[in-house]
Amino acid sequence: MRNYLIRRFLLIIPTFLGISLITFMIVQMAPGSPIYMRLHQAGGSGGSAITQEAIEQTKKLYGLDKPLPVRYVMWLGKLATFDFGTSYKDNRPVLTKIAETIPVTLQLNLISILAIYLIAIPIGVYSATHQHTRGDTALTLGLFILYSLPSFWVAMLLMYYFCGGAHFNWFPAAGVSSYDANSLGAFAWLRDRAWHLILPVLCLSYNGLAGLSRYARAGLIETIRQDYVRTARAYGFSERTVIYRYALRNSLIPIVTLLGGLIPSLIGGSVIIESIFSIPGMGRLAFEAILSRDYPLIMGILSITALLTLLGLIVSDILYALVDPKIKFS
Amino acid sequence: MTALTALSALLTGCGGGGGDSSGASNAPEVLNTPFGTVQGAPPKAEGAPVEGDWIVILLEAEPATLNPSLEISDSYTQRITDGYGGNIFETMLVSNRETQAEEPWIAERWEISEDKLTYTFYLRKDVTFSDGKPLTAQDVLFTYESIMNTANLTADKRSYLVDFESAIALDEYTVQFKAKQPYFLHLDVLGSLQILPKHIYGEGNFNEHPANRAPVGSGPYRFEKWDTGQQLVIAKRSDYWGPKKPLVNQIHYKFITDNNAAFQLLRRGEVDEMRLTPEQWVRQASQPDITSQYQKYTLYSPVDGYGSSFGWIGWNATKPFFSDKRARQAMTMLLDRDTIGKTIYHGLVRVVTGQAFPDSPSYDKTIAPWPFDPAAAKALLDQAGWVDSDKDGIRDKDGVPFKYEWIYPSGSPEYEQLATVYKEELTKAGIDVTLRPLEWASFLESVNKRSFDACSMAWVSPMKGDPYQIWHSSQITNGSNYVNFANPEADKIIEEARLEFDDEKRDAMYRRFHAILHEEQPYTFLFNSQRKVAISNRFQGVTPYALGFDMRDWWVPLDQQRYK
């Protein structure tokens, strides 16, 4: 087990190098240049009156006058000291900007994952044990509809109807906390935060909920048909015991492994939701960085997301062993 | 400042929400002022102006920095630091809101030498920064020198100052600039430098200085706090030196990037000032929940680059289709600008015919836009040799079919609609156009590399501008003359106007230049959009001027003040 983990962790290094090399090249070879963006500030003062000389000077200050491979090696060299450089947008360190935004995004996504699992599994169990009943059919239909609703559209509808104006003034329309949140006590702060997160979490989770509950249902139905479940029934255990003690645990194995794959898709999904709800999170930061060709910031965010994904995969493998004693690492 | 600037898409999208259109029936009465219209003006409050309350302003994006010298500073930086006559930083001269003449501010007087090469500014002695230190000639010099320093990311500001060879302090409160050659905008450029305190910014890395996010300036407001991604707060100084002190205690800028969320905040009364899109203006903003809380203003004023921008379609003159001016005129006459302005832009725009700001004396108001006239356009195309000789429905000349690609920045629903309408008309005239909306960064690259047939953008035209960067033939290779416009008479006018210090004479030259542009049609000029603003109706004294609003006029009666 220990050796296996060490090997897995060491494998992160070459995988990460590969990922970073490919993304670095794609990002920097994509059309559009941060210099032009900079010198054509939308609506700013003075954009176009720029000389070729100024372009060259700016390029040099950013090191963009060097060939691509050299730039990559320089980037790696700085990375070794955990230096991601400074953002082109506002000259602030990339790490500071990520550190500011990542707690919000993690909060949003961890709560969403938790919500998805807590709701999806009971739904799946209900559907599996009440297979082909009216309740199951209604749930299936409902989840199918949910699964097909695009989250940006749902977000806008929710905002229109539940964030004041002509309709219900129940939730805030923007941000993760009130502007005076810092002066609140711990409990009031928590309540304020929860109040702000309800709609974004709803938008982030309903989609995954639909998918995961179907997996839970299918897994359980398959397990119920297994011989050992029949054996348990033959022994005269109650249906409750059979399902919850024997069948459920085994049926959860594939669901646990889905966790690793959920992390990147949730970070991706929160790009849109963060933009709509004006949440200062990493998703929105990434979106803006890509639009403005802010190379150091894009690379910083992609590296950290890649690392999180790789770690997520290891975690889900470990969980796999925890729920299924048959699996041994060697 | 004094240059023309690129805008991305003119307007941001406004989809979603919708809302019932029934509210439009009880339209409030419209009040015309010399510089714009007001809807729903509040009853005049009794008594003299009083201090107190905050203004909550909604910004569509967060500024990158609060250091106006850096090239990463943007229009949001300007709105916060410069505001009107300076919120945080101040300038040596200011433009009079109404007459637009240069007036003393930090400089109590100035002298320009006979040869127009030496500029001497005599500074007031009572100006202090918000940390109590006095503002002296050293601070003005420092501001100039930090922009000229090539280690600093100030390239775009530097390009305005390259004509200066030296700057010296004659004494503690007198500073003198020497230029290498005369230029009519020198005084404006120097007079509009936002003065940074040397004792704060002078040490450490200018580009990454901590004060870039926590500035110290001499303006009426001091920096209070910046919650990244959320809001920025500035508060009134009690020790401000200036002649006209603001009455509102604090200004809160809230960053709300999503247009629908922003509008919800407006509905809830959580913001006091917000710019509206045409769609919002026409459909949503006339509903009672808005009209009961806000006054709505429309202005064409050339302030912070919003009201004065105009869109255009540029025809690349190196392409065979657009090398002949008759073909370019035909392209303009195939676009029904009047109808598009009325329908797609809800009549909140006006058609422009030249490069200057339409209300400035450099703009020739007697020039009528080319009419929408497909028959005349077809005749011009025939004359230019573009006829459908192979009967495939598309005009051709010398074996080249009239097939071109039109690039424009994606994400603006108005442009998409305009493009679709236009394409239909072009097809009827035997022209095949491919619409290619591009994401902003890719678009800029194509434009800068001149790899396009036709392209669309918007320029911001100030009251007093210089067309050199965009229209002089020397700017074809490296400047902003993307469409390869070269006209000897235009070149001569542009060059001579730079040395003409008499405003009236120069304006007359620019009106002649306008006529050349109209005749040559290197662009099909589109629209100048109004600036549309909603302002909470608890504010008194809100007056639109030729140069926009002056927030130091604004005040709230005691019984209506909302924030302490």
Side-chain angles (χ1 to χ4, degrees), chain A residues 48-49 57 90 171 179 293, chain B residues 4 64 158-159 254 268 439:
Chain A
S48 65
Q57 284 170 354
D90 52 13
F171 298 104
Y179 291 108
R293 304 292 189 271
Chain B
L4 298 158
R158 199 179 306 140
S159 58
K254 311 236 147 154
R268 288 152 70 133
E439 177 247 0

Side-chain angles (χ1 to χ4, degrees), chain B residues 48-293:
Chain B
V50 287
E51 290 186 53
D53 215 350
W54 305 347
I55 307 175
V56 181
I57 294 177
L58 191 137
L59 298 186
E60 304 83 10
E62 187 167 4
T65 179
L66 285 181
N67 182 339
S69 293
L70 292 179
E71 62 190 33
I72 54 173
S73 69
D74 48 31
S75 65
Y76 299 101
T77 312
Q78 295 299 327
R79 275 185 80 180
I80 296 169
T81 62
D82 197 17
Y84 260 121
N87 280 339
I88 296 177
F89 294 109
E90 293 181 294
T91 51
M92 287 196 284
L93 309 179
V94 293
S95 300
N96 183 296
R97 298 278 167 283
E98 278 169 85
T99 65
Q100 299 151 40
E102 296 289 356
E103 287 182 349
W105 197 252
I106 286 179
E108 53 189 358
R109 63 195 172 87
W110 67 93
E111 281 163 10
I112 305 171
S113 67
E114 201 59 40
D115 58 4
K116 310 285 185 193
L117 290 177
T118 308
Y119 293 78
T120 314
F121 296 90
Y122 300 89
L123 309 183
R124 296 175 68 105
K125 298 188 174 65
D126 57 349
V127 181
T128 56
F129 290 108
S130 59
D131 61 357
K133 299 255 170 56
L135 187 154
T136 69
Q138 289 306 321
D139 298 305
V140 179
L141 281 189
F142 169 74
T143 303
Y144 167 80
E145 278 158 7
S146 56
I147 291 175
M148 299 306 282
N149 185 343
T150 49
N152 293 342
L153 288 165
T154 49
D156 66 330
K157 311 287 183 298
R158 199 179 306 140
S159 58
Y160 295 105
L161 294 168
V162 285
D163 279 349
F164 290 97
E165 55 183 9
S166 72
I168 46 166
L170 296 183
D171 62 45
E172 211 184 334
Y173 290 97
T174 312
V175 21
Q176 192 173 66
F177 295 86
K178 276 212 167 63
K180 284 176 253 179
Q181 57 210 41
Y183 180 35
F184 77 99
L185 283 175
H186 276 343
L187 182 69
D188 296 56
V189 168
L190 295 173
S192 63
L193 286 177
Q194 296 185 50
I195 312 292
L196 308 185
K198 184 180 183 180
H199 64 274
I200 301 280
Y201 294 85
E203 303 202 352
N205 183 336
F206 192 74
N207 299 329
E208 295 165 22
H209 202 285
N212 292 347
R213 293 178 63 83
V216 175
S218 64
Y221 286 92
R222 74 168 76 239
F223 171 82
E224 199 69 27
K225 65 167 176 173
W226 184 343
D227 301 329
T228 308
Q230 296 189 56
Q231 65 169 351
L232 199 151
V233 180
I234 58 178
K236 194 170 72 179
R237 277 174 67 185
S238 54
D239 59 339
Y240 177 57
W241 67 274
K244 187 171 170 185
K245 296 178 175 59
L247 294 158
V248 175
N249 282 340
Q250 290 187 19
I251 306 180
H252 290 231
Y253 298 91
K254 311 236 147 154
F255 316 130
I256 307 290
T257 45
D258 183 82
N259 211 266
N260 294 296
F263 201 73
Q264 290 299 83
L265 291 185
L266 191 76
R267 290 202 138 124
R268 288 152 70 133
E270 288 177 24
V271 289
D272 297 326
E273 191 202 299
M274 176 182 159
R275 292 165 173 179
L276 302 173
T277 64
E279 192 72 21
Q280 289 171 337
W281 177 267
V282 172
R283 292 181 56 204
Q284 295 160 314
S286 35
Q287 293 179 19
D289 55 341
I290 298 294
T291 51
S292 64
Q293 301 183 71

Side-chain angles (χ1 to χ4, degrees), chain B residues 356-419:
Chain B
F357 177 61
D359 287 336
S360 80
S362 308
Y363 185 94
D364 189 345
K365 280 201 163 65
T366 62
I367 294 176
W370 290 98
F372 170 61
D373 190 345
K378 285 176 199 160
L380 276 174
L381 287 170
D382 289 342
Q383 279 174 35
W386 289 99
V387 285
D388 186 7
S389 58
D390 53 3
K391 302 288 172 234
D392 65 346
I394 294 168
R395 288 168 190 272
D396 51 78
K397 182 183 176 184
D398 308 329
V400 182
F402 206 131
K403 261 186 181 172
Y404 74 95
E405 198 177 76
W406 175 20
I407 62 169
Y408 55 90
S410 59
S412 156
E414 283 86 3
Y415 250 91
E416 299 284 347
Q417 292 175 41
L418 183 144

Side-chain angles (χ1 to χ4, degrees), chain A residues 50 147 161 168 171 201 204 322:
Chain A
I50 199 77
Y147 191 69
Y161 285 106
F168 304 101
F171 298 104
V201 165
L204 273 178
L322 288 183

Side-chain angles (χ1 to χ4, degrees), chain A residues 33-77:
Chain A
S33 145
I35 307 294
Y36 293 138
M37 296 292 290
R38 168 67 56 82
L39 302 176
H40 283 274
Q41 284 291 350
S45 65
S48 65
I50 199 77
T51 55
Q52 198 62 29
E53 191 192 354
I55 291 179
E56 295 308 323
Q57 284 170 354
T58 306
K59 263 190 184 168
K60 205 163 178 176
L61 285 176
Y62 287 132
L64 289 174
D65 53 341
K66 300 191 177 65
L68 208 50
V70 177
R71 274 187 259 159
Y72 178 67
V73 173
M74 283 170 66
W75 180 79
L76 268 187

